[in-house]
Amino acid sequence: MTNLRARDLMTSDVITVPPETPVMAMARVLADRGISAVPVVDAEGKVLGIVTEADLIRRLAGEADKPTGWFASLFGNQERDAERYARTHGVTARDVMTSEVVAVDPDTLASQIAHMMEDRGIRRVVVTQDGRLKGIVSRADLLRALVTAPSDGGEYPDERIRRAVMAAMKKEPWADTFYTLVEVNNGIVEFHGFSRSAAVQRGLRVLAENIPGVKGVTDNTQPMPPYLFATA
């Protein structure tokens, strides 16, 4: 993945919406297409923002907000509260979108994109050129690139598989990358260390089996000792 760039990874056939798109219409688009975000662009194709599942959930949660009391309002931040109100009660993409979009150009290295996602805690970046949308690179795109088969038709390198398993574990809140160690030998994934439950062990096995190149999974983990639960 060292020489891969955004143009090699991105999904270029991206569904977009104009800023006037109603919230419910965007929710239907995400549900019907099985996607988690949709860029908001103007008539010239310039990126104005992005609407994610989190934005729509925030909008739905805002309907249950209680009016701020008079006394509490004295200590509130009017600008912040007004911004939150607009995003949680807005009816169009312009109101609920995240406007601070992380964008990269088509020549950005995959490693740089991975660092951006990790440092900023985001799931995707948009690829733009002269401000216009060219595509999107998601975590899933990076993961697929990580496990792409060698061009010479050989087997998947063990270290590449190990990194792919670790990357997949970091995406799952139930997977513990601190107390559970991963080794790969000849395509066989081996888990060592501790796991919290049989359900977690099963989840790890399924997670590893879904990584391309994995030939088998060996679980050598032990039940997590009670004294570690306090620090885990």
Side-chain angles (χ1 to χ4, degrees):
M1 194 171 73
T2 304
N3 297 320
L4 291 178
R5 299 177 183 275
R7 66 174 74 253
D8 305 313
L9 303 168
M10 69 183 188
T11 298
S12 56
D13 185 17
V14 180
I15 297 172
T16 63
V17 298
E20 299 81 15
T21 305
V23 167
M24 292 307 298
M26 289 185 293
R28 283 195 294 269
V29 168
L30 265 59
D32 293 345
R33 301 300 183 95
I35 55 179
S36 59
V38 58
V40 182
V41 300
D42 63 14
E44 286 74 41
K46 290 191 175 183
V47 179
L48 303 177
I50 190 167
V51 176
T52 67
E53 289 177 324
D55 293 321
L56 294 179
I57 291 173
R58 184 183 300 111
R59 167 66 175 80
L60 178 62
E63 295 180 356
D65 283 353
K66 296 180 180 179
T68 302
W70 173 82
F71 185 75
S73 67
L74 296 177
F75 302 94
N77 183 309
Q78 290 183 325
E79 184 174 346
R80 181 196 61 203
D81 293 344
E83 174 69 17
R84 172 177 169 75
Y85 183 89
R87 295 192 66 184
T88 57
H89 292 76
V91 296
T92 65
R94 187 190 306 276
D95 295 324
V96 303
M97 71 183 185
T98 298
S99 57
E100 295 180 0
V101 180
V102 178
V104 299
D105 64 60
D107 289 322
T108 305
L109 290 172
S111 58
Q112 294 175 306
I113 296 174
H115 280 299
M116 287 182 188
M117 291 184 181
E118 185 70 19
D119 293 343
R120 304 193 184 198
I122 55 178
R123 296 179 177 275
R124 65 194 64 79
V125 298
V126 297
V127 183
T128 61
Q129 193 165 36
D130 298 325
R132 291 177 171 79
L133 181 70
K134 305 298 290 184
I136 287 181
V137 177
S138 67
R139 288 184 178 181
D141 294 322
L142 287 176
L143 185 58
R144 280 193 292 270
L146 187 64
V147 297
T148 298
S151 58
D152 60 4
E155 295 188 345
Y156 294 85
D158 287 342
E159 179 56 24
R160 179 175 290 178
I161 294 174
R162 190 191 72 81
R163 293 201 306 268
V165 172
M166 292 296 295
M169 289 175 64
K170 289 180 179 178
K171 292 173 60 178
E172 303 298 335
W174 49 264
D176 194 333
T177 57
F178 187 81
Y179 289 106
T180 304
L181 308 178
V182 180
E183 293 182 0
V184 181
N185 293 296
N186 297 320
I188 305 297
V189 176
E190 300 176 4
F191 290 109
H192 300 274
F194 303 105
S195 63
R196 297 174 184 273
S197 66
V200 170
Q201 290 176 297
R202 180 185 179 191
L204 289 175
R205 174 180 58 78
V206 172
L207 179 148
E209 289 173 345
N210 277 278
I211 300 297
V214 171
K215 300 177 180 178
V217 180
T218 301
D219 187 352
N220 296 316
T221 61
Q222 301 295 322
M224 185 174 290
Y227 67 85
L228 287 181
F229 275 102
T231 58

